Amino acid sequence: MAVAVGQPLLAQVEEKLAYDTKELVLNGGCQVPEMELVVAAAAAIGFDAPEINSFGNSFRDYEAESERKKIVEEFYRQNHVNQTVDFVKMMREEYVKMDKAEMSIWECCELLNTVVDESDPDLDEPQIEHLLQTAEAIRMDFPSHDWLHLTALIHDLGKVLVHHRFGGLPQWAVVGDTFPVGCAFDESIIHHRFFRENPDCNNPAYNTQCGIYSEGCGLENVLISWGHDDYMYLVAKENGTTLPPAALFIIRFHSFYALHNAGAYMHLLNEEDKENMKWLKIFNKYDLYSKSRVRVDVERVKPYYLSLINKYFPPKLRW
């Protein structure tokens, strides 16, 4: 049965997802036909984003009085003081060795049963719940994009950095919003005031708009504050995943809210980044608004996600 997509629906799609209806091209040569994308985007309108989080507040409201406000503020104070150029370089050099563990993707998912993200004002459930909620929400609206389902499942796996097997890093070095180091800290970054105590603020080379970078250099060449995003990106890349580049872009930058939510740092993007941003904006809606206390039946969905893991990753990964 043919489905006519009229102008009013297209207008809804553009308003809801804020991207045009031209082809989205994955930088591996895989194209998503225009009509397929329109239909998928139209389906996404059916995703009913809740207005309030598990604590009765608006999502990402860091000023709302709640039982988690003080925990979140202290987290960001430590994060903003300690995330420096030297620290990020040191962490990347250490963790690119991939010598912390050897395990499958699913084994890593199960490790997250013990992790609660102290930076998240919206949820205090173990992280595996969030992974499955995000993946299932995307799967419902984009059924033919299996790479996107798997990306949702694994996007936060880097949070295992808090586990003793991976170094037992403090949460300020693992979770929270990410941002570039080596250039000026944009005021859109949550709890920006805490950057005043960051040593890099005393280095003139790091305090201009571009800092140590050049306009249009591409995010691949930018140092991002160290955490689970950058770590999982390195894990996927170093283990030879066959996920498309757009998936790796989502994994590495999904916590970069100053970019994809506030529009900061756009001057550092190259053309490839701008194409991948279209996918990140789609993903972000599900990453943020799928959080709830509604549990996913793990045993029911596990076979499907195991099949995707086998398709895009080796059986065992170096971590």
Side-chain angles (χ1 to χ4, degrees):
M1 178 180 68
V3 179
V5 182
Q7 289 303 312
L9 179 54
L10 285 177
Q12 262 190 296
V13 170
E14 291 173 351
E15 179 180 352
K16 284 281 186 179
L17 297 183
Y19 65 87
D20 60 36
T21 56
K22 297 177 182 178
E23 288 184 344
L24 286 183
V25 180
L26 299 179
N27 296 314
C30 176
Q31 292 188 342
V32 180
E34 178 178 1
M35 184 51 67
E36 179 187 351
L37 183 60
V38 171
V39 172
I45 293 176
F47 178 71
D48 188 14
E51 294 182 0
I52 58 174
N53 64 21
S54 300
F55 300 99
N57 302 314
S58 300
F59 280 88
R60 287 182 59 81
D61 185 348
Y62 291 91
E63 300 304 321
E65 294 297 331
S66 75
E67 59 193 82
R68 289 182 60 76
K69 182 180 179 182
K70 290 183 178 180
I71 294 174
V72 173
E73 283 192 356
E74 176 56 21
F75 162 86
Y76 275 109
R77 187 191 68 78
Q78 295 182 51
N79 175 276
H80 292 355
V81 169
N82 291 295
Q83 291 279 1
T84 64
V85 169
D86 288 343
F87 175 75
V88 172
K89 287 181 176 179
M90 180 178 67
M91 289 293 100
R92 288 195 117 230
E93 289 173 5
E94 173 62 26
Y95 281 93
V96 77
K97 298 174 184 176
M98 300 293 147
D99 60 357
K100 302 298 180 286
E102 185 173 321
M103 64 177 66
S104 68
I105 289 286
W106 192 263
E107 287 173 318
C108 192
C109 288
E110 291 178 333
L111 270 185
L112 288 192
N113 272 325
T114 62
V115 176
V116 174
D117 185 340
E118 290 181 0
S119 73
D120 194 338
D122 299 321
L123 195 63
D124 59 358
E125 296 291 333
Q127 288 300 296
I128 194 170
E129 297 291 337
H130 169 54
L131 298 183
L132 288 170
Q133 288 168 352
T134 306
E136 285 294 280
I138 288 181
R139 181 183 175 190
M140 182 177 296
D141 286 347
F142 293 84
S144 64
H145 296 68
D146 67 355
W147 66 270
L148 196 55
H149 311 163
L150 182 58
T151 301
L153 180 74
I154 69 172
H155 76 284
D156 274 350
L157 284 190
K159 291 180 181 180
V160 293
L161 286 172
V162 304
H163 196 276
H164 67 88
R165 291 180 63 182
F166 294 79
L169 295 184
Q171 290 229 357
W172 63 259
V174 179
V175 299
D177 288 15
T178 58
F179 44 84
V181 295
C183 60
F185 299 116
D186 191 84
E187 291 188 1
S188 65
I189 301 170
I190 190 65
H191 291 312
H192 180 272
R193 66 187 184 279
F194 294 132
F195 284 119
R196 289 194 294 263
E197 300 176 53
N198 186 304
D200 283 0
C201 287
N202 298 320
N203 187 334
Y206 299 157
N207 290 322
T208 62
Q209 186 180 41
C210 286
I212 61 177
Y213 313 111
S214 59
E215 189 167 343
C217 64
L219 292 181
E220 174 64 25
N221 300 305
V222 174
L223 288 173
I224 303 296
S225 55
W226 176 253
H228 71 280
D229 308 60
D230 210 18
Y231 178 55
M232 190 58 207
Y233 162 75
L234 290 174
V235 169
K237 184 178 178 182
E238 295 298 316
N239 281 278
T241 183
T242 55
L243 283 170
L248 297 181
F249 188 90
I250 289 170
I251 291 168
R252 191 180 184 206
F253 301 115
H254 68 271
S255 299
F256 191 176
Y257 278 88
L259 171 68
H260 60 71
N261 192 43
Y265 300 103
M266 289 294 294
H267 58 283
L268 297 177
L269 274 61
N270 59 23
E271 291 306 311
E272 181 178 339
D273 293 333
K274 292 173 184 177
E275 282 299 307
N276 287 332
M277 275 286 290
K278 298 173 184 178
W279 284 109
L280 180 55
K281 284 180 176 291
I282 292 171
F283 174 84
N284 177 247
K285 174 180 177 181
Y286 296 87
D287 184 21
L288 180 60
Y289 295 113
S290 64
K291 297 174 184 176
S292 74
R293 296 194 187 278
V294 179
R295 299 297 180 91
V296 175
D297 185 340
V298 177
E299 293 307 311
R300 179 181 64 82
V301 302
K302 182 177 177 179
Y304 174 70
Y305 289 105
L306 287 177
S307 72
L308 297 189
I309 292 168
N310 291 335
K311 178 178 178 180
Y312 290 103
F313 282 95
K316 293 284 186 179
L317 281 69
R318 293 175 296 110
W319 298 79

